[in-house]
Amino acid sequence: MFVTYKSSHDGILEMIEKFEKNSWINITAPSKEELKEVSQLCNIPIEFLEDPLDLEESARIQYDEETNCTLIINDFPTIDVNGHQLDSYITIPIGIILGKDYIVTVSNQTTNFLEGLIKRNINTSMKNRFALEIILSISTQYIEKLKQLNKQRVKIESNLRNSLTNKQLYDLMEIEKSLVYFLTSLKANSVVITKLFRTNSVKLYEDDKELLEDVRIENNQGIETTELYTRILNSITGSYSSLISNELNNTMKTLTLFTVFLTLPTLVFSFFGMNVILPIADKDPFSWIIILIIAFIFVNLIGLALWRRRIF
């Protein structure tokens, strides 16, 4: 489906029913017929409309001399529908096409962050500046999602101090996966932002360059924050892995000590239970006490030896 907007004389973004010059066409999960219609009416290469629909498409800038159109592909964060109860994220591409008379955005999923632009006074006739506003909004989305991921990480960490469960570890894995998506996409977006400073196909005025600088700062902040959260998460998972290993070692050591202390009396009792002549008379009423004393001596000797070696 696609929706068309255009700025009114009062600077308000309004929805219109048909394509007009200097309008914005927002395309979401379109059919092939819709793509062909937009391509023909707006004189935009069909591949410019199809490429952003590929979830594996990389961020880039492409210019078509024949139609004088520029394609800017950026990745934006969205909820992972295949995730568990935790809010984890993936990144998918969005295409921003700067045509001669139109600006077109196309994505495979709903772009909720564009609703904020609709409520603002955006001039659709200033297509290049509008494109920068969209890219800035994408960078802002990363910062907001990173804050949410960090809040979830802090909550999981506080629960880990009380008890450690597989669910909490799986949640940390989901956060780590989201951070990997973010870092990869933010770095790819950074390359696109840098190219926008040098490209000739997107003409920028002084105000546009200042806005683009804000975009770069926001994107770099997202990269630094993602790297910081990744290091913190790796430190937490590494520390808890060490704790789990330490607890396992303590458990194994305790079981080993129990085995040793239970084995020694068994050896003594087995020796005196043999059907041969023994140093203690079998009819002596105190023989069982002597056997217990011998077993007790062995246990204490072994216990003393283990204590001196600081095994327990």
Side-chain angles (χ1 to χ4, degrees):
M1 59 170 291
F2 58 84
V3 183
T4 307
Y5 301 92
K6 187 176 181 180
S7 299
S8 64
H9 297 291
D10 300 330
I12 301 175
L13 204 60
E14 297 177 343
M15 187 183 300
I16 58 178
E17 295 183 357
K18 58 182 181 179
F19 297 166
E20 298 181 8
K21 287 187 177 181
N22 298 324
S23 61
W24 165 36
I25 305 168
N26 184 27
I27 307 174
T28 304
S31 62
K32 292 184 178 180
E33 290 74 18
E34 290 174 331
L35 291 179
K36 290 180 181 179
E37 180 182 357
V38 174
S39 175
Q40 294 173 358
L41 294 177
C42 300
N43 192 26
I44 295 175
I46 188 66
E47 59 269 17
F48 276 20
L49 298 170
E50 293 176 340
D51 288 350
L53 300 176
D54 183 3
L55 297 180
E56 303 299 326
E57 192 70 28
S58 58
R60 69 175 193 275
I61 298 179
Q62 185 176 344
Y63 176 68
D64 182 71
E65 295 183 357
E66 184 177 348
T67 58
N68 194 25
C69 290
T70 301
L71 170 65
I72 304 173
I73 297 181
N74 260 209
D75 292 332
F76 70 94
T78 184
I79 290 287
D80 184 7
V81 295
N82 296 322
H84 302 283
Q85 295 180 355
L86 183 77
D87 287 339
S88 59
Y89 299 91
I90 58 173
T91 56
I92 63 173
I94 179 175
I96 306 169
I97 304 168
L98 303 174
K100 182 179 180 181
D101 300 314
Y102 305 92
I103 178 170
V104 180
T105 54
V106 54
S107 178
N108 200 32
Q109 293 186 18
T110 303
T111 50
N112 294 326
F113 64 92
L114 292 179
E115 295 180 0
L117 296 176
I118 296 174
K119 298 177 182 178
R120 293 164 53 186
N121 295 332
I122 299 294
N123 191 347
T124 53
S125 61
M126 301 173 65
K127 295 184 288 294
N128 295 346
R129 187 173 183 83
F130 188 21
L132 297 180
E133 291 282 358
I134 295 175
I135 299 175
L136 178 60
S137 180
I138 292 173
S139 300
T140 304
Q141 281 292 302
Y142 280 103
I143 301 298
E144 293 178 359
K145 304 305 182 187
L146 283 169
K147 290 179 180 178
Q148 295 178 13
L149 286 174
N150 191 51
K151 288 180 179 178
Q152 293 179 126
R153 193 266 307 167
V154 171
K155 183 178 180 181
I156 294 171
E157 185 180 356
S158 63
N159 293 332
L160 279 174
R161 295 176 182 176
N162 299 325
S163 62
L164 181 63
T165 63
N166 288 338
K167 179 183 180 303
Q168 293 166 341
L169 295 177
Y170 286 137
D171 289 344
L172 288 177
M173 289 172 56
E174 289 293 325
I175 294 177
E176 186 176 13
K177 182 188 72 174
S178 300
L179 292 176
V180 170
Y181 273 110
F182 281 14
L183 187 59
T184 303
S185 297
L186 282 167
K187 288 185 176 180
N189 290 351
S190 179
V191 175
V192 172
I193 294 169
T194 302
K195 288 183 178 179
L196 284 173
F197 280 100
R198 303 193 303 263
T199 184
N200 296 323
S201 61
V202 181
K203 185 177 180 180
L204 301 176
Y205 298 97
E206 287 301 321
D207 291 343
D208 298 335
K209 292 180 180 179
E210 292 179 3
L211 179 58
L212 184 56
E213 183 64 29
D214 293 339
V215 173
R216 180 164 63 178
I217 293 173
E218 195 80 6
N219 192 80
N220 289 340
Q221 181 183 350
I223 293 175
E224 294 173 359
T225 304
T226 305
E227 290 177 341
L228 173 62
Y229 289 168
T230 301
R231 288 196 296 269
I232 293 174
L233 190 59
N234 290 337
S235 175
I236 292 172
T237 53
S239 298
Y240 277 101
S241 295
S242 299
L243 287 175
I244 293 171
S245 299
N246 189 45
E247 289 182 0
L248 180 60
N249 290 336
N250 290 335
T251 302
M252 294 303 297
K253 184 170 67 174
T254 302
L255 292 175
T256 302
L257 291 174
F258 272 113
T259 303
V260 170
F261 289 134
L262 291 175
T263 301
L264 290 172
T266 303
L267 290 175
V268 175
F269 299 152
S270 298
F271 176 78
F272 285 98
M274 293 188 295
N275 295 322
V276 296
I277 299 175
L278 299 172
I280 300 177
D282 56 352
K283 296 182 180 180
D284 189 346
F286 298 102
S287 59
W288 66 276
I289 298 178
I290 297 174
I291 296 173
L292 288 177
I293 292 174
I294 295 173
F296 181 74
I297 291 173
F298 273 107
V299 170
N300 278 273
L301 288 175
I302 296 299
L304 180 62
L306 294 176
W307 178 77
R308 294 184 63 179
R309 290 177 176 270
R310 299 183 182 276
I311 295 179
F312 70 94

